[in-house]
Amino acid sequence: MLTKDQAICIRAVDYSETSQVVTFFTKATGKISAIAKGSKRPKSAFGGPLEILSHGRIVFSDSNREKLATLTEFESAASTAGLTPHGTQSLLRNDLFALNCCLFAAELLNLLTDEHDPHPDLFDSFLQFLHDVQDAADKPEMLALLILFQLALLKEVGLQPILSHCANCRTRYEGRETRDGVYFSSSANGLICRDCEPAFQDKFRLSKSAAACLANLRLLAESPQKTLLEIEELLAHHFTELTGHRPKMAKHIVNP
Ligand SMILES: [Zn+2]
């Protein structure tokens, strides 16, 4: 059976001299992995090797979900949506940090979603994120977009962190506290107040400005790079706790 879907490539690895195994995040089917036979041949049916972050319409046959699907068509959405088929290269020419933000988001999407588990809203958020990062004026704007996408991803997969009150004692966090001492705990999946902090071994201490930002995400847009990088460091730590290893792209964002 052939399935048509909108898709963004989130991973592409060589399978042989001429073929690749590609992972797509699709709108209606969710994540799928497929073999793209002959994609590396000069006259490939896909217009050249498939690249991570390319976006378009795909057709794939997926009769047996235990096995890799077979990609039969890839039609780039470049002309309509602005992302080129060879998305990586065009981004790379423009801005390496923007590219790294997109690759980090793709890696996390791959780590946190399951195959054949559709998240159409998350697909739209990811596509919008890719466009917005390319249009972003500077590094703080890219970081703010990345943080919002990461939080949207966590929410979609059922892991939305608790940021409005202490995840342990439920004391409301107003974001206006003047005293120090707000923490984040991955095991509690949220902010932890100073009174509860001793009970959490895995706590991550936050500055007042970072904690205020998390409690009120509208502050992200006007926050300095230092605060945004601190939140990214926290999120990289949190994703490490959630997945069991530090995402590979994290070092390109927090310690460039
Ligand atoms: Zn508390």
Side-chain angles (χ1 to χ4, degrees), residues 79-204:
S79 48
T80 52
L83 276 184
T84 68
H86 304 289
T88 311
Q89 287 173 0
S90 83
L91 263 176
L92 186 58
R93 273 198 297 273
N94 293 334
D95 193 317
L96 182 59
F97 190 74
L99 173 69
N100 285 338
C101 286
C102 293
L103 292 175
F104 191 20
E107 181 186 5
L108 293 172
L109 198 52
N110 192 18
L111 283 170
L112 287 158
T113 57
D114 293 318
E115 299 217 344
H116 299 281
D117 179 19
H119 291 279
D121 291 344
L122 185 58
F123 177 90
D124 290 340
S125 305
F126 185 49
L127 189 57
Q128 189 64 48
F129 166 77
L130 296 179
H131 286 295
D132 290 347
V133 168
Q134 290 186 88
D135 292 341
D138 52 22
K139 217 163 149 175
E141 192 179 343
M142 291 173 200
L143 284 167
L145 289 165
L146 179 62
I147 291 164
L148 289 172
F149 175 75
Q150 288 166 325
L151 292 172
L153 169 63
L154 288 170
K155 184 177 178 184
E156 267 285 332
V157 300
L159 295 169
Q160 182 175 25
I162 297 157
L163 301 173
S164 56
H165 51 265
C166 171
N168 192 51
C169 72
R170 322 298 283 182
T171 300
R172 224 171 149 73
Y173 184 76
E174 305 292 346
R176 291 192 295 272
E177 276 83 345
T178 49
R179 62 178 195 179
D180 279 322
V182 177
Y183 298 78
F184 183 93
S185 157
S186 288
S187 62
N189 195 34
L191 295 178
I192 293 293
C193 73
R194 190 166 61 175
D195 297 337
C196 296
E197 158 270 301
F200 292 86
Q201 296 298 318
D202 67 332
K203 66 206 162 201
F204 189 104

